[in-house]
Amino acid sequence: MTTWREIRSFSPAVRLLLVNQLGVNTGFYLLIPYLAVHLSRDLGMSAAAVGTVLGVRNLSQQGLFILGGSAVDRLGARGVIITGCALRTVGFGLFALGDGTAVLLAASVLSGLAGALFNPAARAYLAQEAGERKAEAFALFNVFATTGALVGPLLGSALLLVDFRAAALTAAGLFALLTVAQALTLPAGQVAPAKESVLADWREAVGNRAFMAFALAMVAMIALESQLYLLLPEGARRATGWDGAAGPVLVVATLAGLGLQLRITRALQRRGSRAGWISCGLALMAAAFVPPLLVTSWPGADPGDMPGTVLRMVPVLVGALLLQTGLMVAQPFVMELVPAFGRSRLTGTYFGVFYVVSGIAAALGNAAVGWAMDTGARTGAGWLPWAGCLGLGLASAAAVARLHRTGALPVAPVPLPARA
């Protein structure tokens, strides 16, 4: 079945969520990768001030995921998705129009809060709407998200030839269109009245030992995925001596996601266990750091040696491909399992808690990798960050496998029969 036919086989609501995710990632990556440069170069802000603005945005999003999840369960996913997109419209508009610290901080808070509302809401809606086809739906969701992550920076680079304000206003306009489209066409679902308090919902999710063990076991997935934008690009630059080496790394990972995600998910869901594939995916993500690790022992690069530059690039590209492949194997099944840990009425809360844990893991993981990179460069132990990522991935894979062996994970739906 082609990707287009697969998309058409889902309900209009699922198709709208897929298109919406394409737009969300396009708008986000159109602006955010260039924000730090704008703040420092165009506005003359200090490094500390730039770090504060960016940190507030990350904290507002990752720290409030649980609020977004609870809002989904109490108010319905549709309204939370629309509100999230509307808030990001305002936040990105403020980035375009404001140059004072107070305005920029407000923009950071609003854009971060928007993500905290939208992300768990979209996934909860998709999980409920897709029924037993959650894995396939989330595979397509990843394809559309990856496409947006590819289109966004390219469009942003073109708009920055005008100025940053043009890019920010374009991103805000895109979110405004998404807000209107969802308000007009996204079906509203029924929300059962809540009998317990929000705190009781949180206690139920956090008190679910199997779920929290799974969330903690999955910290490597998000932490290692982040290395597509930190360690692997930097490793490519250091190995080749070429400042543009980050580009091929991201292109290889993106094209693999676009071309293989749905095929991999459909092939795997008919055989083996979901937990087994998640563990396998994490192991692949861990193995991704072995080929680049080997490059760290090679002698220094000669900038004029083109064959040598290509040869040094190959292990890093293999690492990027392995990392993306592992993510494609694991992520759809992870998203399928998260709501299965609790009551259907708390789907949003469980996604919210999961993303809080993942957000903290990504922040701590990047900080640890950054420290290892600096320490390795200072002491000559260039292998240190790669070995650390390898160890983290293998530990997470082993933890998921153990949870599966002990019966702590929910029973996944029966694999669907193959369709022509």
Side-chain angles (χ1 to χ4, degrees), residues 16 22 26 28 38 45 56 87 113 120 142-143 162 216 221 235 278 291 294 298 312 326 344 349 358 393 397 403 417:
L16 179 59
L22 169 65
T26 299
F28 181 85
H38 167 68
M45 297 178 66
V56 165
L87 285 177
L113 175 59
N142 288 348
V143 170
V162 181
L216 291 171
M221 187 178 76
I278 292 171
L294 302 177
W298 292 6
R312 290 168 175 278
S344 59
T349 298
S358 297
L403 289 173

Side-chain angles (χ1 to χ4, degrees), residues 21-76:
Q21 187 62 25
L22 169 65
V24 165
N25 270 23
T26 299
F28 181 85
Y29 287 102
L30 187 158
L31 180 73
I32 294 301
Y34 309 106
L35 181 58
V37 174
H38 167 68
L39 297 177
S40 59
R41 184 188 63 192
D42 300 338
L43 301 184
M45 297 178 66
S46 66
V50 172
T52 299
V53 171
L54 298 180
V56 165
R57 196 208 68 79
N58 287 329
L59 181 62
S60 299
Q61 177 165 319
Q62 295 169 359
L64 298 178
F65 272 131
I66 192 168
L67 294 180
S70 293
V72 170
D73 295 333
R74 307 221 161 218
L75 304 175

Side-chain angles (χ1 to χ4, degrees), residues 129-168:
E129 185 70 24
E132 293 184 353
R133 300 179 64 194
K134 291 182 182 67
E136 294 168 84
F138 278 110
L140 285 170
F141 196 77
N142 288 348
V143 170
F144 277 76
T146 301
T147 303
L150 175 64
V151 172
L154 296 177
L155 182 57
S157 297
L159 289 169
L160 285 172
L161 295 176
V162 181
D163 61 14
F164 178 84
R165 181 168 298 179

Side-chain angles (χ1 to χ4, degrees), residues 268-354:
L268 298 184
Q269 69 178 349
R270 302 193 192 102
R271 54 181 63 88
S273 67
R274 303 304 205 250
W277 290 126
I278 292 171
S279 184
C280 180
L282 290 169
L284 279 174
M285 294 180 76
F289 297 91
V290 174
L293 185 153
L294 302 177
V295 182
T296 62
S297 63
W298 292 6
D302 179 0
D305 181 12
M306 182 57 67
T309 297
V310 173
L311 181 62
R312 290 168 175 278
M313 194 69 183
V314 169
V316 185
L317 294 180
V318 171
L321 183 59
L322 282 173
L323 185 61
Q324 185 67 32
T325 301
L327 188 65
M328 289 188 288
V329 169
Q331 193 171 55
F333 299 130
V334 172
M335 296 295 100
E336 182 184 40
L337 280 184
V338 167
F341 279 96
R343 294 178 290 147
S344 59
R345 195 190 70 75
L346 294 183
T347 295
T349 298
Y350 274 82
F351 271 114
V353 173
F354 182 82

